[in-house]
Every structure is written in C-alpha cells, then in structure tokens.
Amino acid sequence: MNDKKQLLSAEQVDFLTEMMNIGAGNTATALTQVLQCPVDIVLPRVFVIADAQELSILTSPSLPVVCVRMNMVGDVSGGLFLIVPEEQKEDLIRLAEQAMTGTGQSWRAGITNSKADDLKLSVIAEIGNIVAGVYLTAVHDFCKLNIYHTVPTVATDMVQALLDESLVRLSRQVQHIIVIENEFMVEEKLIKTFLVMIPSVESVDILVNSIGQARIAMVKDGG
Amino acid sequence: MQNKIEVTMGGGAVTAAPHIISSSGLGSCVVVTLYDTERKLGGLAHIMLPDSISLNGSHPAYKCADTAITTLIKELRSMRASPRNMVAKLVGGAKMFLSSDDFGPCIGEQNIISVKRILKRRRIPVIAENTGSNYGRSVEFYLDSGKVMVRAIGREDKEI
C-alpha cells in the first residue's frame, strides 16, 4: 500500500491546523451573531486520518449524533460533514430558539411533535451550513482554492453508520480524511462538534499541493 | 468464560462457542455471519465494498465482499468447520441519507446483492437478514446459539 504517499507532512498538518484556527475564530464570530450570545472557542484539534478504520480513535463508532451532510464542489470535490453529538443537540437548538424568538419561548408551540423534530433538525442543518461556509472561506483565503458546499441534508444515527457510505465511496484508493474537532463555550455550556472533510480521490493532490504551496509562501513572507 | 471480540469497520473474526463477536455503527456496510451449526463455530465480517476489483494493490481481506467471504470460509475450515453445515445471516446495507444519490447507486444495496450472489455460488444459505432501510445498526453474534442480535437507535432490539 505505497499509494499513501500523498499524506501531509507534519509541517503541513501544523499549517492546516493554523488555517483551521482562523476558521474556528470566524466560526465563533458567526455563531455569536446567529445565536445572539457570546460564543468562545477552544482551539480546534485537527486530525488527518489515512484510513477510515482510524476514525474509531476519535469517537466510539456507535456514538449517537446529528450529522449534517454536504458535498464540496469546485476546486476540491468530496464530502463534508458537521457532526454534533446527540446529547448536545438540545442545547444547541435551545440557543438557536432563544435567538430567533428573542425570549427563549419556543416558536414551535402548537406544532405536532414529528414536525417539530424536522424543524429542530433544520436548525442544525443551518448551523452546518454556516460552519461549513466559514471554514471553506478560511481554506480559500489561505490556499486560494474555491470550494463551495451543496445544500445540507440531516440525519440522526450512529456516527460511523452515517459516514461509512461516503468514506467507502470517496476513498476507494487513497484515503485521506481531515477531521476538525471544535469546542465552543456558549452560556457556560461546552458544545463539541466535528467537521469532517473527505476529499475525493481526484481532489486530494490538489488540496495537498495547495496546502504545501501556501505554507511555503507564508514561511517566506514571515521571514 | 465468555469473551467478546469487537470487529471494526473492514475487519473480521472467527471463534467458537460460547464467545461473542460484535460490530457497531453499520450504515451502508454489511455484516455477514457464517455459522457451522454442527460444531458451533462461526465468523463475522464487517464488509465495506461489494467487490475488490476496483481496488488497486493489496487491501485488508475483510474489506470487500468477495475476499471477506473467501477468508471467513478459509479460517473456519482451518478450525475444522464444514461449509456444508454453514448458514449465513446478513445485517446492514442501509441508505442513511435520502439524497445520497449524487455519486451513483447506493453502496448498501450493492453490498447486499454482491454478498448474496457470492454466498449462493458457495451454496451457503442465507437463513435470516435485517437489511436496507435508512437506519444504522450494531450487531452481536452469539456463537453458542448462532443468534444475531441487531440493535438500532430508537428501535427495539431484534434477534435474527
């Protein structure tokens, strides 16, 4: 299995982490506006995983989560997922509701339960939309790559069950998964999310080369 | 002493009664259990892909349906199991997102079709299955009885 040569070097992973730090900072700003309360960010941890099986290092494969699935299109194609552990879903939704109604009173009053669940999930989908947009902007600013994301779809289930199809489909040969673990502090609650980028086989080279070049450019600029 | 062997995605294991083999977080992946009803030996594979043809070079044996089933049978034979006494059960092969058709037909369905075709060729009957639909599953395979327990979030446990 020598076809894993495209793995990022340690320096490149550091650079990627720095890029994602900027993304995380901007995410905190965006969420502060959306949720209308201060959102503090704990610096993100970035993992570059070479094999789908290694995902189990990060979480238990059967962890119940809400997962927002998008696709990346443009210079880099592939899958993009925002994952929120199920136990934090309600916190996030409550904060979003507060911001929307301004009172903390539910705007779902009078709506049947099953419809209310759909609405709750669409709140998470919208947060996924925002977070993905902010991170892809950070990638654009550093690497000059234009990546867009498609309309999100949401599902709730075990984390590995939700990801396995995309992992299999997008990484038949070279496997290269970028996982950004984010922790946000909102009203003294810690909300943990994972942003998972699975570049398609055709895009991995483009992404890795761009990260490499952007890092060199930055090292030169910095002196 | 009853041991539990945990199989991860793309992995597999064989053992004998009274042990348990488990695997969790199945979406489009398919778990195949083979069980020798006479000798109470069995194996479980957590299969990710319908075939190994599209893969270049070496890959873990249990990752693809064709190589996974061949390997399971070989391992069980080396424990003196007989393919004539073997029965199979299938779990998984779901389609998790409604709109996951952007990259072609869904992998879960392909996995199930492929596994069934290979088992038919090997003359191993599929005696039970819990496949398809749109939810994730976890399984426990009990080697003393050959029973497979299927668990899913928000659903009752199901024994097949």
Side-chain angles (χ1 to χ4, degrees):
Chain A
M1 292 248 263
N2 293 326
D3 50 358
K4 287 194 176 158
K5 62 180 186 299
Q6 283 299 334
L7 263 186
L8 294 165
S9 68
E11 291 84 8
Q12 286 170 337
V13 173
D14 284 349
F15 178 73
L16 182 69
T17 307
E18 199 161 313
M19 197 156 87
M20 295 312 169
N21 286 347
I22 305 286
N26 293 343
T27 303
T29 311
L31 289 181
T32 300
Q33 284 169 12
V34 175
L35 301 176
Q36 293 179 10
C37 61
V39 176
D40 290 321
I41 186 128
V42 183
L43 283 184
R45 296 201 290 159
V46 177
F47 306 87
V48 180
I49 292 172
D51 208 313
Q53 280 96 321
E54 290 175 34
L55 267 185
S56 55
I57 306 167
L58 297 178
T59 68
S60 146
S62 55
L63 181 78
V65 298
V66 183
C67 177
V68 184
R69 171 180 175 272
M70 294 157 278
N71 291 325
M72 295 187 285
V73 291
D75 292 340
V76 170
S77 63
L80 187 63
F81 299 84
L82 181 81
I83 293 165
V84 183
E86 174 79 27
E87 56 184 27
Q88 290 171 358
K89 181 181 83 172
E90 292 298 328
D91 283 338
L92 203 53
I93 289 166
R94 189 180 47 77
L95 289 165
E97 281 183 358
Q98 273 177 21
M100 273 188 268
T101 59
T103 58
Q105 192 185 7
S106 175
W107 92 98
R108 292 183 271 110
I111 298 175
T112 59
N113 266 336
S114 65
K115 287 272 186 227
D117 267 357
D118 285 353
L119 276 177
K120 282 180 176 183
L121 288 182
S122 76
V123 169
I124 305 268
E126 201 43 56
I127 290 172
N129 218 352
I130 293 164
V131 173
V134 171
Y135 272 99
L136 292 180
T137 304
V139 173
H140 169 263
D141 291 347
F142 276 81
C143 297
K144 308 288 172 264
L145 287 171
N146 284 311
I147 314 172
Y148 309 95
H149 60 279
T150 58
V151 177
T153 52
V154 202
T156 317
D157 214 303
M158 291 179 273
V159 61
Q160 183 179 281
L162 290 163
L163 290 178
D164 66 0
E165 176 153 15
S166 297
L167 291 172
V168 165
R169 202 184 280 285
L170 295 167
S171 52
R172 279 192 185 228
Q173 282 117 25
V174 185
Q175 304 207 317
H176 217 103
I177 305 153
I178 298 169
V179 181
I180 303 149
E181 187 193 84
N182 274 312
E183 287 179 349
F184 299 100
M185 282 295 289
V186 194
E187 291 187 343
E188 295 177 0
K189 284 231 153 58
L190 189 69
I191 294 179
K192 188 170 175 173
T193 67
F194 293 97
L195 189 71
V196 181
M197 295 174 80
I198 312 174
S200 65
V201 175
E202 307 84 59
S203 311
V204 168
D205 287 1
I206 300 168
L207 186 64
V208 169
N209 288 340
S210 302
I211 291 171
Q213 280 166 18
R215 192 188 83 84
I216 291 166
M218 173 151 292
V219 170
K220 273 185 189 158
D221 275 3
Chain B
M1 182 59 192
Q2 194 178 42
N3 289 327
K4 190 161 162 179
I5 305 171
E6 173 75 26
V7 169
T8 58
M9 182 159 57
V14 291
T15 187
H19 305 304
I20 302 170
I21 310 178
S22 69
S23 199
S24 53
L26 288 161
S28 67
C29 289
V30 172
V31 153
V32 179
T33 63
L34 292 185
Y35 188 60
D36 181 325
T37 49
E38 293 287 312
R39 292 181 178 269
K40 297 193 186 299
L41 297 168
L44 178 154
H46 186 144
I47 296 167
M48 297 165 73
L49 277 168
D51 61 68
S52 58
I53 299 161
S54 57
L55 292 179
N56 301 329
S58 63
H59 60 87
Y62 288 114
K63 191 170 171 179
C64 308
D66 47 355
T67 48
I69 292 170
T70 310
T71 310
L72 272 187
I73 293 173
K74 202 172 87 189
E75 294 281 323
L76 288 171
R77 273 193 140 147
S78 71
M79 294 165 72
R80 308 183 61 111
S82 161
R84 261 177 308 168
N85 300 330
M86 282 183 202
V87 291
K89 291 181 182 179
L90 307 184
V91 180
K95 183 179 162 110
M96 301 301 295
F97 290 92
L98 279 176
S99 65
S100 62
D101 49 0
D102 347 30
F103 290 104
C106 91
I107 294 257
E109 208 180 313
Q110 292 178 37
N111 278 337
I112 293 166
I113 292 169
S114 175
V115 166
K116 283 185 177 167
R117 194 174 46 219
I118 295 162
L119 289 171
K120 195 173 177 189
R121 207 181 302 142
R122 296 279 190 164
R123 294 173 206 277
I124 297 173
V126 177
I127 57 164
E129 63 177 298
N130 183 302
T131 55
S133 196
N134 64 343
Y135 57 92
R137 298 166 170 96
S138 291
V139 296
E140 278 178 354
F141 178 28
Y142 296 87
L143 274 296
D144 49 5
S145 62
K147 294 262 192 239
V148 176
M149 186 66 93
V150 184
R151 292 180 216 280
I153 294 174
R155 284 166 200 272
E156 276 187 29
D157 293 353
K158 207 168 171 183
E159 194 181 83
I160 63 167

